[in-house]
């Protein structure tokens, strides 16, 4: 994948597949330390220990439609090859947390790419999931709570008007990524 | 700190309140974009964004877009399925953003299936 935001989109798909109702996504760039942090937490069905042990294995999947599971292994290899670290904690019935930190000046790390498109796509196509999104770069912080948005509007979050608003808001605030 | 404010949200509410009564009470047309690793790597996000762009520009209020995982047909990605109210579910293959815009115009808006891009129909 050519963009880090595509990997993030792919990893969040696992939370959606796990029937999460709440997903927390944090992307934090610490310019002083030169580290990019990516944290994804969900309240989905979680994984037992035996699946967790296999999650970095590309030839393992819990799905039945195909025999490979590439999302986490691709992300893990990418971060590891840049000298970063990925930690995955999961508990059955409680959810899963993925924590990654990586030096962002690594030449093998793809650019963040269209992060606003990734976030827009996630929010609009999953209207039943509450997303808490926190993007921090050099002290600047952007917070998005879809629960808060849904409470404040009388129309679905996937309506054309809301799509239009979110697109503008995300492009304006995350354009620099 | 930039934060989505209540003021921003009130603006959406005001803008859309008048249109609420115009909504069709019947079901909605459904578009599903397959977003497994294979789909994403093949360009499904750009396809999805093109679909959302068309929905926004055309003000398509009776269309709902959702996403699904891999269905094991990775070689045909990006895949989308379109089901108009009362119609069959049509699975489209190799859906680039350009094809997605055509599918919206021809199938979703005008009810004519884009037969050359169909993989299967249920």
């Amino acid at each position: 994948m050519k963009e880090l935001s595509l990997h993030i989109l792919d990893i969040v798909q696992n939370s959606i597949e796990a029937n999460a109702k709440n997903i927390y996504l944090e992307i934090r760039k610490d310019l002083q330390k030169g580290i990019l942090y990516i944290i994804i937490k969900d309240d989905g069905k979680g994984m037992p220990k035996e699946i967790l042990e296999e999650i970095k294995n590309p030839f393992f999947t819990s799905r039945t439609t195909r025999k490979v599971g590439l999302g986490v292994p691709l992300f893990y290899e990418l971060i590891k090859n840049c000298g970063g670290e990925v930690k995955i904690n999961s508990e059955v019935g409680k959810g899963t947390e993925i924590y990654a930190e990586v030096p962002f000046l690594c030449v093998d790390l793809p650019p963040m790419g269209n992060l606003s498109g990734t976030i827009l796509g996630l929010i609009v196509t999953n209207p039943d999931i509450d997303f808490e999104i926190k993007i921090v770069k050099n002290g600047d912080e952007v917070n998005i709570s879809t629960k808060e948005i849904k409470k404040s509007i009388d129309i679905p979050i996937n309506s054309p008007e809301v799509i239009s608003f979110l697109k503008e808001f995300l492009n304006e605030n995350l354009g620099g990524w | 700190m930039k934060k989505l404010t209540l003021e921003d949200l009130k603006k959406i509410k005001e803008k859309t309140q008048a249109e609420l009564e115009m909504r069709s009470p019947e079901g909605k047309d459904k578009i599903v974009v397959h977003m497994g690793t294979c789909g994403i790597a093949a360009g499904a996000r750009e396809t999805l964004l093109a679909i959302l762009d068309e929905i926004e520009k055309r003000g398509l209020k009776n269309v709902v877009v959702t996403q699904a995982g891999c269905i094991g047909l990775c070689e045909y990605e990006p895949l989308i399925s379109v089901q108009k109210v009362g119609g069959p579910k049509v699975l489209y293959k190799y859906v680039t953003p350009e094809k997605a815009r055509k599918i919206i115009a021809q199938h979703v808006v005008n009810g004519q299936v884009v037969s050359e891009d169909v993989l299967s129909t249920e």
Side-chain angles (χ1 to χ4, degrees):
Chain A
M1 288 187 208
K2 291 177 183 166
E3 298 175 16
L4 207 46
S5 58
L6 289 175
H7 282 278
I8 293 169
L9 177 61
D10 193 15
I11 299 295
V12 175
Q13 297 304 316
N14 294 334
S15 300
I16 296 166
E17 289 282 337
N19 297 322
K21 290 284 160 240
N22 293 279
I23 297 176
Y24 174 80
L25 167 65
E26 180 178 331
I27 301 170
R28 187 157 38 95
K29 199 172 192 179
D30 190 326
L31 295 182
Q32 281 185 333
K33 288 185 185 165
I35 302 284
L36 176 71
Y37 301 88
I38 299 168
I39 300 158
I40 299 163
K41 284 186 217 174
D42 70 56
D43 62 351
K45 63 185 177 188
M47 290 173 280
K49 205 178 159 206
E50 55 271 25
I51 290 186
L52 198 58
E53 279 167 5
E54 291 281 5
I55 197 167
K56 292 163 193 166
N57 174 3
F59 300 106
F60 174 83
T61 181
S62 57
R63 298 180 67 98
T64 50
T65 52
R66 47 167 164 69
K67 292 193 169 80
V68 292
L70 299 177
V72 172
L74 284 173
F75 182 67
Y76 177 75
E77 285 301 317
L78 178 75
I79 302 295
K80 202 180 81 175
N81 288 339
C82 281
E85 190 185 8
V86 181
K87 289 181 201 161
I88 305 172
N89 292 310
S90 190
E91 205 177 320
V92 174
K94 290 204 167 168
T96 300
E97 175 178 358
I98 294 190
Y99 171 94
E101 57 174 69
V102 60
F104 59 75
L105 290 177
C106 170
V107 288
D108 291 329
L109 196 69
M112 182 58 80
N114 189 359
L115 181 60
S116 53
T118 286
I119 293 175
L120 179 72
L122 284 170
I123 292 176
V124 172
T125 57
N126 297 286
D128 298 332
I129 297 176
D130 288 328
F131 287 94
E132 282 286 336
I133 299 167
K134 184 177 183 176
I135 312 287
V136 188
K137 186 183 177 187
N138 202 21
D140 258 356
E141 194 171 317
V142 179
N143 291 288
I144 301 156
S145 161
T146 58
K147 201 173 190 174
E148 205 178 311
I149 295 173
K150 285 181 223 169
K151 258 192 225 164
S152 309
I153 53 178
D154 294 337
I155 52 170
I157 199 160
N158 50 5
S159 306
E161 307 85 352
V162 187
I163 294 173
S164 180
F165 172 80
L166 285 170
K167 201 160 114 180
E168 199 177 311
F169 176 83
L170 292 166
N171 284 339
E172 198 177 297
N173 289 285
L174 303 179
W177 284 76
Chain B
M1 187 172 89
K2 291 164 191 161
K3 203 173 173 189
L4 196 61
T5 65
L6 272 176
E7 282 305 306
D8 296 324
L9 298 171
K10 276 177 193 161
K11 276 183 208 162
I12 304 179
K13 190 174 174 178
E14 284 162 17
K15 190 181 157 197
T16 56
Q17 214 150 24
E19 295 172 15
L20 272 174
E21 287 130 33
M22 291 162 62
R23 294 286 157 86
S24 163
E26 59 201 46
K28 293 191 172 195
D29 298 337
K30 286 179 192 147
I31 302 176
V32 179
V33 182
H34 292 270
M35 303 278 274
T37 305
C38 47
I40 293 171
R45 185 189 62 188
E46 276 53 49
T47 301
L48 168 65
L49 293 176
I51 292 168
L52 295 180
D53 191 49
E54 287 295 314
I55 286 177
E56 180 205 343
K57 281 182 185 160
R58 294 169 181 268
L60 301 176
K61 299 180 198 306
N62 269 345
V63 179
V64 65
V65 185
T66 56
Q67 59 167 68
C70 169
I71 50 170
L73 298 167
C74 311
E75 64 271 37
Y76 297 108
E77 296 282 1
L79 286 164
I80 72 166
S81 67
V82 176
Q83 185 166 30
K84 285 191 63 77
V85 176
K89 189 162 119 185
V90 181
L91 186 63
Y92 287 104
K93 61 184 175 181
Y94 307 130
V95 186
T96 59
E98 294 72 31
K99 280 188 185 176
R101 289 181 195 277
K102 187 179 175 186
I103 291 165
I104 296 281
Q106 195 174 315
H107 187 170
V108 179
V109 176
N110 291 314
Q112 301 294 316
V113 173
V114 184
S115 46
E116 66 267 29
D117 296 322
V118 172
L119 180 64
S120 65
T121 304
E122 281 174 31

